[in-house]
Amino acid sequence: TAGWYHACAVTKQGGAICWGWNDFGQVGNGNYITSEPQPRGVSALDGGVVAVSAGSSHSCAVGTGGAVVCWGLNDNGELGNDASVMSPTPVAVVGLTSGATALALGSGFSCALLQGGGVKCWGRNANGQLGEGNSNELTRATPVDVYGLDGGVVAIAAGENHACAVLATGAMKCWGQNSNGWLGDGTQNDSAAPVSVLLDASVTDVACGGNHTCARTTSGA
């Protein structure tokens, strides 16, 4: 997984390693050395990691029991620990001590896919990228439910300021910033709640870039 200027991986032994730009502690090895030109072990994550995701300047990991931890920049509460202080070592995300299966990180916000197909997000919300149904709160330092997505989601992805989810039905929904139409709903209006992507085919997977979105259909297109 790659963020703006850093990358992370899961080892065969279940450890997490990261490398690259580290000015906010996003490499997770306990310091703020500006750059790490080779992979370093993330503090206290030398086993039991099943997935890792990198955002713009922060990172998160899921353990075997579904607990989520994050590290790096935290100006917008993107670490999910009910604080706004950055951390060069993993901190526990409030309320996600179990049950998470996948992660998607954007610029200053994070999302988790849960067992049963629900989605929770936390962090920056200026464009509605947390999907909670309103934009009144500019940041959320702990996870909130994505509106209308309490089940049935099989995959998630996050761009710079938007996120998307694939449903078991093959439909896709996106939320957040939409200045250039990357929510795929035929408009350029931001949305604080998931909107349906205008697709004429069922999809199986989704990937979000900084300001665009792509999906793979069941036919392989």
Side-chain angles (χ1 to χ4, degrees), residues 14-171:
I17 55 175
C18 297
W19 59 96
W21 197 249
N22 191 42
D23 51 341
F24 302 113
Q26 57 265 53
V27 171
N29 63 339
N31 62 58
Y32 297 105
I33 294 174
T34 301
S35 62
E36 291 286 2
Q38 59 185 348
R40 302 291 185 184
V42 177
S43 298
L45 294 184
D46 54 358
V49 176
V50 296
V52 65
S53 183
S56 57
S57 299
H58 72 296
S59 312
C60 297
V62 179
T64 51
V68 180
V69 295
C70 299
W71 58 95
L73 187 63
N74 198 28
D75 286 357
N76 295 286
E78 56 262 52
L79 301 190
N81 64 332
D82 200 17
S84 58
V85 179
M86 59 185 176
S87 177
T89 57
V91 295
V93 176
V94 174
L96 288 182
T97 57
S98 64
T101 61
L103 298 167
L105 275 57
S107 177
F109 77 102
S110 313
C111 295
L113 176 61
L114 309 178
Q115 292 175 356
V119 182
K120 289 181 178 287
C121 298
W122 59 96
R124 187 171 182 268
N125 196 36
N127 302 104
Q129 53 266 62
L130 301 189
E132 61 177 323
N134 66 70
S135 296
N136 295 330
E137 297 291 340
L138 296 181
T139 62
R140 292 284 195 183
T142 58
V144 295
D145 293 323
V146 175
Y147 182 80
L149 294 184
D150 54 356
V153 176
V154 296
I156 57 173
E160 184 174 353
N161 292 307
H162 76 293
C164 296
V166 176
L167 306 182
T169 60

